[in-house]
Amino acid sequence: KIKLVINASESISGRYPNKGPGILTENNILIIDNVGEELFHNLAEGQIIEVIDGNIYRDGELLGSGEVLDKQQVSEKLKKAFENLSVELDRFILGEVEIPHVKTNYANKHVLIVVRGQDYKQDLSTIISYIEEMKPILVGVDGGADALLEFGYTPDVIVGDMDSVSDEALKKAKEIIVHAYTDGRAPGLKRVNDLGLDAIVFPAPGTSEDIAMLIAYEY
């Protein structure tokens, strides 16, 4: 079975909490980290190597060395990555864009974000007991709001560019957030206003699903 994984670069950069290294070390598979790509150019399929304390030998010749990662070191690196996650999320999707203030109170509540994609009816049917028990804030991304209506639920928030959501859903939602282009243009806002409804405009790159998750995460 697998005894060891040797990685040319870092298994955990500290930017994102990737779970792979933890899965390996939990199964007693050590990781020799950040040995450099040159090592792999010097090895051929089927050759036998010896690894001692992070040093890698072939026929007694030292080919390279790296950092040995065990359970404790992986755990410490993951903790650092989780602490850095909110910074990376903002940098990745929002850049310098600020998340707008919203009326919905997300604090200490579960949030269910619904996108009307493939098998959405089956997915919602599966988690009805969760919805009934936990009473999460219900966020519909465009047509996802109508998916909630189909199951008898009123969306607390609708997020999107308003191209695939019904007038009925917009009128019933407690809050509407229009996803706008980064230059501030929000074509979907006119439709909301024409219905006599108010909306918050959120200029941001990424998808409407992205900003629905970021708003929930932020608040």
Side-chain angles (χ1 to χ4, degrees):
K1 294 184 178 180
I2 297 171
K3 304 291 185 184
L4 173 72
V5 169
I6 299 175
N7 194 351
S9 54
E10 292 180 300
S11 297
I12 305 175
S13 68
R15 295 182 62 191
Y16 298 101
N18 54 315
K19 296 182 179 180
I23 293 171
L24 292 173
T25 54
E26 283 297 322
N27 286 278
N28 298 312
I29 300 170
L30 282 177
I31 302 171
I32 308 296
D33 221 22
N34 210 19
V35 300
E37 291 187 19
E38 185 178 350
L39 171 74
F40 292 93
H41 297 312
N42 292 331
L43 287 173
E45 185 75 23
Q47 290 183 338
I48 295 175
I49 61 173
E50 184 178 19
V51 179
I52 304 173
D53 295 329
N55 296 314
I56 300 159
Y57 300 89
R58 180 185 57 204
D59 298 329
E61 176 191 3
L62 177 64
L63 298 178
S65 60
E67 177 188 5
V68 179
L69 295 186
D70 57 20
K71 289 182 184 179
Q72 180 179 348
Q73 285 151 316
V74 167
S75 177
E76 289 172 356
K77 286 176 177 284
L78 280 176
K79 181 181 177 183
K80 177 183 175 183
F82 272 111
E83 290 170 351
N84 194 44
L85 181 59
S86 62
V87 175
E88 289 300 326
L89 277 173
D90 288 346
R91 182 181 301 154
F92 175 65
I93 296 181
L94 290 179
E96 300 299 320
V97 176
E98 292 187 6
I99 296 177
H101 294 289
V102 297
K103 295 183 298 182
T104 304
N105 181 14
Y106 286 85
N108 302 313
K109 296 178 182 176
H110 284 218
V111 180
L112 175 64
I113 298 172
V114 178
V115 181
R116 191 165 62 179
Q118 186 177 3
D119 299 327
Y120 73 91
K121 289 186 178 181
Q122 180 181 342
D123 293 341
L124 277 172
S125 297
T126 302
I127 61 171
I128 281 178
S129 59
Y130 159 78
I131 297 173
E132 295 295 328
E133 180 181 351
M134 300 306 300
K135 306 293 184 188
I137 293 172
L138 300 175
V139 180
V141 177
D142 277 316
D146 289 288
L148 286 166
L149 288 181
E150 287 180 48
F151 279 78
Y153 297 110
T154 300
D156 295 296
V157 184
I158 295 178
V159 179
D161 52 18
M162 308 301 139
D163 64 346
S164 61
V165 61
S166 69
D167 289 352
E168 179 189 5
L170 289 170
K171 290 175 181 177
K172 289 185 176 181
K174 298 172 186 175
E175 185 167 32
I176 300 170
I177 299 172
V178 178
H179 186 190
Y181 294 108
T182 53
D183 62 7
R185 289 179 295 122
L189 181 61
K190 182 180 185 303
R191 181 183 171 202
V192 176
N193 291 339
D194 286 347
L195 292 171
L197 303 171
D198 295 324
I200 293 170
V201 177
F202 188 173
T207 68
S208 297
E209 294 97 307
D210 291 333
I211 70 169
M213 288 188 283
L214 282 165
I215 291 168
Y217 181 85
E218 182 73 14
Y219 291 111

